[in-house]
Amino acid sequence: MTDQKKKIFVVDDDQMFSSLLSDYLGGKGEFVVSTFSTGEECLKHLDQGPDAVILDYYLDSNVPDAMNGLDILKLIHKAMPHLQVIMLSSQERYGVALQTIASGAVSYVIKDKDGAFEEIVGLLRAL
Amino acid sequence: MQQISPETLAEKLSQMDLFQSVPEEMLLNLASQSRIEKFYPDEAVFLKNDPGASLYLILKGTARVHDEDYTVAKLSTGQCFGEVALLDDSPRSMSISANEPLLVARIDRDVFFGVLGEHPNVMQRIVIQLASSLRRQTEQTLKHLRQREEELTILVEQRTAELQRQKEEADRQRLRAEQSERAEQQFLANMSHEIRTPMNAVTGLTNILLHKNPREDQLKYLHHIREAADSLLIILNDILDISKIQAGKLELERTDLHVAHIFEQVRSLLSFQTEEKGLVLNIHCDPRIPETLNGDPVRLKQIVLNLTSNAVRFTEKGHVGMKAELLEMHGQSCRIHFEVEDSGIGMSEEQLQFVFENFRQATSSTTRKYGGTGLGLSISNELVRLFGGTLKVASKPGEGSRFWFDIAFEPGATGSVEAPQNAIDPHQSLRGLRILLAEDNLLNQMVAEEMLQLLLPEVTIVTALNGKEAVDLARDQTFDVILMDVTMPEMDGLEATTLIRQLPQPKCQTPVIAFTASVTTKEVQRCLQHGMNGCIPKPFKEEEMINALYAALYPEPSQPVAPSPFIEELAGGNPERIQRYLNLYIDSAQMGITRLQKALPGNDREEIRKVVHTLKPNFRMFGLEDLAQQAETIEKAILDRQDEEGVPLLVEVLLEGLRESVNKMSK
């Protein structure tokens, strides 16, 4: 199989989390991962044609005035309606999940749940 | 067919509201032109969406108005239906069926208008009547629909309640099952603890006496006591192993494994017995077998040792052989054939059938003659199965036995076999130590104290009877190392260690070695999680004591240790990557500390919430569940605006934990 690797964008202002996730995905050998600490950065690079975006819900924890994940999601959806976006959050709140799905996210993954990384890989493979 | 005269029918028509003001001769005219129709029970007069232009009057029996299966209304003798069809051509809006034998008079639209058209006054009244009947019907239908809706709502509520009840019942049962499973595990751990504690005293005191120049005859008895105690320990371990296997609780470790090492250890353990019996021990270890493989060395050794010691036990003269042969290599992975054979008493075909069953030796007389619990082979059999192989046996009475199995191994971490233990004599490096010994059982305390005195030159030992005393002593005095029993009254060893780790520098750094009778992996992990540096299982052996002390006092120039299985897996065991992740954690935690410290005086809720929200998943990934819980509590308190006054205190506690975690990860 000489399938091209899937290009994945990870957007999270927490450098530790995005590093671990990108290492984990990179280690699977089937994804090429780029990380961005703000949604604005990610939007600037959408022309690289990612296969999926993994987007944190709260993006203003470390960078004040950064646009939040939901607004970025809406902008991504507007620019590339078919681009698959997986939303991340460390909050298990139904309302938040519903909101992101309603705004076009394909799924909503709780960051600190056991097996969150496996879940993300599963979702990416299903794309 | 029932005969009804037009007069009778006219009489019935006159009783209907619709025809009340219609003169008699007109009714007679209508009656004579209407048709009498009969329907069987459940037969439809007409169905929803049928076309139709007739009015029906029920002469006998009852009918139902329905939509599919749902009955909207019931009609009985003297009532009419279908009157709307006199006015328009829309299809029927409901179905009508007979409930019991039904007799109706049918008046078609053209007959109706033909008769009444000649009398505009009468016609006007009838149309008004029809319109009001139509309104009544609509109201009736609406009422039914509302009623139906209410019924459905109640039904849904009932179903939901029932589902909820079932779910709760299932939860309760699951909880009960979990509790009983925990109780079982606890019993196992307790039993292990209860038996090991007195055994510790027996073997420990025997060892001490052996060091005190006993007389010749005493020496003999002491050796017997030690042998008996050792056998008892073996039996105990066998029983614990088999119960763990049966409970599906035994899991193989995945670490580096050296086949040649294991063979050498087994040879050395059995050398005394083989020499005593005058047996030849043939060992062949295929040199093509990769030096380092990945697997569980303790369990592989247990299998080989069990098979070989059985072979030695049941062989009076001749030889015992053990060999490992490389069967195939796939890249770095390989399959290895292990075999143990002897020239001993052998087994009959009948005996072979039961050889792997629990508590089964070939005959009960063999137990008396050769000893053993009869569990060894079934444990080995299960262990081989856990390794993914099958233990097989061939034997004939008087011609010896042969046991073999094949196991596949993944390659181990690169690098050669670890260098032999450092050349420094640990006994000398441990000269002049000050040791704090916390142990509530006076007998065990004495055993440990005496043993340490014998083993370590110029040792000073201070004792504590519970965790509280230990913490006080650790604070007020300086020790090189603390030996801490885990189970103690008043304050246990885990809590005491946690408190010692909170003492000011450098006392918080004093190595603590758990001194425990429970030797489950879980227990060891629990000790390490509470900040202990190592674990000595009771009853301890001199060597284990020395090694644990040495390891705690002279830690390997630190290879970073992965803080959680998740990080270990992510780093693929690569020390550089583990270090990188540790650094990432430290950066993130330090950033958290700075921001929380800044946010705390002004009570900046939003900032606090942002920080703990970011840190929370990081805690989980690094196995810091306590901190994750704290972060969650704070976040919740702020989001839900509950216990808000408590937030600053919670943040203080979290800050403390954060600093501690940074210290731990920096080491």
Side-chain angles (χ1 to χ4, degrees), chain A residues 14 16 23 61-62 90 112, chain B residues 580-581 595 613 616 620:
Chain A
D14 177 19
M16 199 199 100
D23 276 12
S61 300
N62 294 321
S90 41
D112 49 346
Chain B
R580 191 165 81 77
Y581 295 144
R595 284 175 62 186
H613 181 86
K616 195 177 60 164
R620 292 249 150 84

Side-chain angles (χ1 to χ4, degrees), chain B residues 279-556:
Chain B
L279 299 174
V280 179
L281 186 57
N282 296 323
I283 297 178
H284 171 72
C285 188
D286 192 334
R288 294 173 305 160
I289 294 175
E291 229 166 28
T292 313
L293 298 169
N294 186 277
D296 189 330
V298 175
R299 295 302 178 182
L300 182 61
K301 180 177 139 188
Q302 190 179 352
I303 301 168
V304 177
L305 180 63
N306 174 265
L307 295 177
T308 315
S309 67
N310 270 350
V312 171
R313 189 185 303 152
F314 294 112
T315 305
E316 292 307 324
K317 61 173 190 245
H319 72 276
V320 168
M322 54 186 200
K323 72 175 174 190
E325 244 170 29
L326 183 69
L327 291 177
E328 50 188 343
M329 290 280 297
H330 289 295
Q332 289 292 303
S333 314
C334 61
R335 282 179 67 78
I336 300 178
H337 172 81
F338 293 89
E339 188 173 315
V340 173
E341 50 100 26
D342 63 61
S343 59
I345 57 172
M347 284 174 280
S348 68
E349 234 164 76
E350 201 200 341
Q351 289 169 334
L352 280 175
Q353 285 176 10
F354 305 110
V355 71
F356 295 132
E357 279 184 26
N358 295 344
F359 305 105
R360 201 75 181 236
Q361 284 189 334
T363 63
S364 53
S365 63
T366 46
T367 314
R368 286 194 294 279
K369 188 169 172 196
Y370 299 100
T373 51
L375 283 173
L377 270 181
S378 55
I379 292 171
S380 297
N381 185 32
E382 291 293 334
L383 288 176
V384 170
R385 199 177 50 74
L386 283 177
F387 270 104
T390 312
L391 182 58
K392 292 183 177 156
V393 56
S395 180
K396 268 187 185 159
E399 290 181 23
S401 308
R402 192 166 69 90
F403 287 85
W404 73 94
F405 56 94
D406 300 345
I407 301 181
F409 288 99
E410 296 291 313
T414 44
S416 60
V417 185
E418 69 214 67
Q421 285 287 318
N422 23 43
I424 317 159
D425 176 5
H427 291 257
Q428 284 310 311
S429 332
L430 300 175
R431 176 177 289 276
L433 289 183
R434 265 182 71 78
I435 298 180
L436 171 59
L437 171 67
E439 161 71 78
D440 62 311
N441 182 318
L442 284 172
L443 192 65
N444 282 340
Q445 197 184 79
M446 186 174 75
V447 170
E449 212 177 331
E450 292 260 1
M451 187 192 228
L452 291 167
Q453 300 276 13
L454 283 167
L455 290 172
L456 307 173
E458 296 160 36
V459 68
T460 312
I461 297 165
V462 178
T463 54
L465 279 171
N466 58 50
K468 210 171 155 306
E469 274 184 39
V471 176
D472 291 344
L473 283 163
R475 188 184 45 235
D476 300 339
Q477 300 183 25
T478 304
F479 297 98
D480 295 304
V481 65
I482 301 170
L483 288 173
M484 181 87 78
D485 188 21
V486 174
T487 328
M488 284 186 290
E490 217 157 320
M491 182 191 287
D492 67 20
L494 300 173
E495 197 184 339
T497 308
T498 308
L499 290 177
I500 289 170
R501 293 289 174 246
Q502 287 166 12
L503 294 176
Q505 290 276 8
K507 295 197 168 162
C508 63
Q509 304 254 12
T510 316
V512 179
I513 299 172
F515 198 44
T516 171
S518 311
V519 283
T520 55
T521 324
K522 227 184 218 159
E523 182 72 14
V524 175
Q525 266 170 2
R526 208 155 67 102
C527 291
L528 296 182
Q529 272 164 8
H530 280 79
M532 293 177 157
N533 304 65
C535 229
I536 306 180
K538 284 193 277 188
F540 48 72
K541 302 197 178 93
E542 295 172 7
E543 206 182 286
E544 283 172 347
M545 175 72 94
I546 294 286
N547 286 343
L549 283 171
Y550 194 82
L553 287 164
Y554 302 97
E556 299 267 318

Side-chain angles (χ1 to χ4, degrees), chain B residues 161-199:
Chain B
E162 172 65 9
L163 279 175
Q164 180 65 22
R165 204 189 55 72
Q166 284 174 359
K167 190 181 159 293
E168 277 166 14
E169 176 61 22
D171 283 350
R172 256 200 304 281
Q173 287 189 357
R174 192 171 42 78
L175 198 69
R176 251 204 306 273
E178 279 171 7
Q179 276 168 346
S180 94
E181 193 184 339
R182 262 201 298 278
E184 204 174 299
Q185 264 174 300
Q186 194 54 44
F187 172 76
L188 214 61
N190 285 350
M191 191 176 83
S192 143
H193 183 271
E194 294 304 327
I195 303 177
R196 275 161 187 276
T197 304
M199 284 302 294

Side-chain angles (χ1 to χ4, degrees), chain A residues 13-17 19-20 23-24 58 60-62 89-91 93 111-112 117, chain B residues 566 570 580-581 584-585 595 609-610 613-614 616-618 620-622 635 639-640:
Chain A
D13 60 342
D14 177 19
Q15 207 216 332
M16 199 199 100
F17 188 88
S19 293
L20 293 185
D23 276 12
Y24 183 82
Y58 282 106
D60 58 347
S61 300
N62 294 321
S89 172
S90 41
Q91 258 187 63
R93 285 190 183 232
K111 271 175 160 184
D112 49 346
F117 282 18
Chain B
F566 175 79
L570 190 63
R580 191 165 81 77
Y581 295 144
L584 275 171
Y585 174 83
R595 284 175 62 186
R609 191 195 61 73
K610 281 181 183 176
H613 181 86
T614 310
K616 195 177 60 164
N618 301 356
R620 292 249 150 84
M621 287 187 289
F622 279 76
E635 188 180 14
L639 279 176
D640 302 345

Side-chain angles (χ1 to χ4, degrees), chain B residues 69-116:
Chain B
D69 282 346
Y70 180 65
T71 300
V72 176
K74 199 173 148 193
L75 301 169
S76 49
T77 309
Q79 286 184 294
C80 67
F81 57 87
E83 59 266 43
V84 185
L86 294 177
L87 295 180
D88 87 2
D89 276 329
S90 310
R92 302 288 187 181
S93 59
M94 288 281 174
S95 309
I96 309 281
S97 300
N99 277 340
E100 52 199 88
L102 180 73
L103 200 66
V104 294
R106 173 176 152 186
I107 302 167
D108 292 336
R109 190 193 289 166
D110 45 356
V111 169
F112 181 81
F113 284 104
V115 172
L116 297 175

Side-chain angles (χ1 to χ4, degrees), chain A residues 21-127:
Chain A
L21 180 58
S22 90
D23 276 12
Y24 183 82
L25 294 177
K28 296 284 165 194
E30 44 196 298
F31 310 108
V32 181
V33 187
S34 310
T35 59
F36 304 96
S37 59
T38 65
E40 287 86 336
E41 276 297 305
C42 163
L43 289 173
K44 269 189 222 160
H45 292 83
L46 280 184
D47 55 353
Q48 292 178 6
D51 293 292
V53 179
I54 300 168
L55 181 63
D56 191 32
Y57 183 79
Y58 282 106
L59 287 169
D60 58 347
S61 300
N62 294 321
V63 186
D65 307 327
M67 237 193 281
N68 75 31
L70 198 60
D71 290 337
I72 300 292
L73 171 68
K74 287 175 187 160
L75 288 174
I76 293 176
H77 207 57
K78 212 175 198 177
M80 306 183 83
H82 301 296
L83 179 54
Q84 311 262 19
V85 181
I86 296 170
M87 242 17 221
L88 287 179
S89 172
S90 41
Q91 258 187 63
E92 201 150 3
R93 285 190 183 232
Y94 183 64
V96 175
L98 201 65
Q99 219 180 357
T100 62
I101 301 291
S103 305
V106 289
S107 191
Y108 178 85
V109 177
I110 310 288
K111 271 175 160 184
D112 49 346
K113 213 170 55 179
D114 276 351
F117 282 18
E118 285 95 326
E119 187 181 344
I120 291 172
V121 168
L123 288 167
L124 291 177
R125 285 186 179 146
L127 289 184

Side-chain angles (χ1 to χ4, degrees), chain B residues 230-246:
Chain B
D230 285 348
S231 320
L232 204 55
L233 264 182
I234 290 170
I235 295 170
L236 175 63
N237 286 335
D238 276 0
I239 293 174
L240 285 175
D241 273 353
I242 204 81
S243 12
K244 260 194 259 171
I245 289 169
Q246 279 167 350

